[in-house]
Amino acid sequence: MKMQELKAEQIKAGYGNNNILNSVNLHIPKGKISVILGSNGSGKSTMLKTFCRLLNPTEGQITLDGKSLSCIKSKDIAKTIGLLPQNSIAPEGIKVSELVARGRYPYRKFMAPMSLEDYKAVEDAMCAMKITELADRSVDELSGGQRQRVFIALALAQETDILFLDEPTTFLDISYQIEILDLLKELNRKKKTTIVMVLHDINLSSKYADYIFAMKNGNLIKEGIPSEIISPKIIEDIYGIKSVVICDPISNSPMIIPIGAFDQIPNAS
């Protein structure tokens, strides 16, 4: 599989006359898991929407293998770039297999029935997210973690090389958060799918990401591997909080301990 190269070049984008992104240059690492970190309003979701052509940049361009996204047909983009947006909603009463099958839209002609390739892609997507036994269940009946796996399977059924997920673990219990992130890690390792996520949990980001982009006020202020980004200085710059960074004894990734107003700050020794 040829991995696609996706870049933002001097991107300005926003809503109405208000630009949120300020001349951002961002190169997505191929075949890796990347996380975009930043406080609310920093431009994380705007960046994702621009990469997926849900927002058109007011300046600059997004390129896929050197070609501007604005010059590529929507169906062709949908075969390369998948998106799991925030707060995904399923039609009332739809079954799991029916919802996942909607991911095959880019490959089907108007009113044409599902092909053998379509059925296999749906089966593979459900298997990857471990929801095969839920195929005939109504999405309405599922738990939050199960629903999120179904929506990720919908994106996987598109068989894209690049997958964007906007806060895929928000509102989920910690057990479901780990379950979802483990499944995404497994997908990345098996298929080399390029995965880009917006996450709020700094420690989970550090644990699962190969690469981190740190954003503030619509600007990309720092990028690199977790050990280069998760530091007291950068965390304070992004979030305005003081912290101590220690080593996670399980994953060996950097882990932050926030310092509250009533905490005793340890000596530097």
Side-chain angles (χ1 to χ4, degrees), residues 28-201:
I28 303 295
K30 294 186 287 186
K32 303 291 185 180
I33 295 178
S34 298
V35 170
I36 304 177
L37 285 179
S39 60
N40 291 336
S42 62
K44 306 183 300 298
S45 293
T46 302
M47 192 77 251
L48 253 64
K49 290 176 183 177
T50 309
F51 265 119
C52 298
R53 214 170 72 172
L54 298 179
L55 278 178
N56 292 319
T58 56
E59 290 186 25
Q61 65 176 349
I62 304 288
T63 61
L64 180 64
D65 282 349
K67 186 175 183 179
S68 175
L69 281 192
S70 62
C71 300
I72 304 175
K73 294 180 179 178
S74 295
K75 272 201 169 187
D76 291 334
I77 291 175
K79 292 177 182 178
T80 302
I81 301 172
L83 170 67
L84 178 68
Q86 292 183 41
N87 305 319
S88 300
I89 299 174
E92 187 175 350
I94 194 169
K95 291 182 179 180
V96 168
S97 59
E98 295 170 342
L99 183 60
V100 176
R102 294 192 174 196
R104 299 304 297 166
Y105 165 76
Y107 301 90
R108 298 170 62 190
K109 294 182 179 179
F110 181 67
M111 297 296 288
M114 293 264 287
S115 67
L116 291 177
E117 290 80 6
D118 293 328
Y119 282 114
K120 185 177 187 307
V122 170
E123 182 180 346
D124 289 347
M126 291 195 296
C127 183
M129 286 296 107
K130 297 179 171 54
I131 57 169
T132 304
E133 73 282 1
L134 304 176
D136 295 325
R137 293 271 302 276
S138 171
V139 177
D140 299 334
E141 302 172 0
L142 305 181
S143 68
Q146 290 172 325
R147 286 171 63 90
Q148 198 68 322
R149 282 190 280 157
V150 172
F151 284 114
I152 295 174
L154 165 60
L156 294 185
Q158 288 181 232
E159 294 187 309
T160 61
D161 297 333
I162 304 167
L163 180 60
F164 287 93
L165 303 104
D166 196 354
E167 301 183 24
T169 59
T170 298
F171 306 125
L172 296 181
D173 292 340
I174 185 63
S175 60
Y176 285 130
Q177 293 182 40
I178 297 298
E179 179 182 78
I180 293 296
L181 293 172
D182 279 346
L183 288 170
L184 291 170
K185 189 83 169 181
E186 183 178 1
L187 172 70
N188 170 258
R189 286 180 173 176
K190 284 185 175 179
K191 294 193 173 183
K192 301 300 180 185
T193 302
T194 299
I195 295 174
V196 184
M197 296 184 282
V198 168
L199 292 178
H200 279 297
D201 191 303

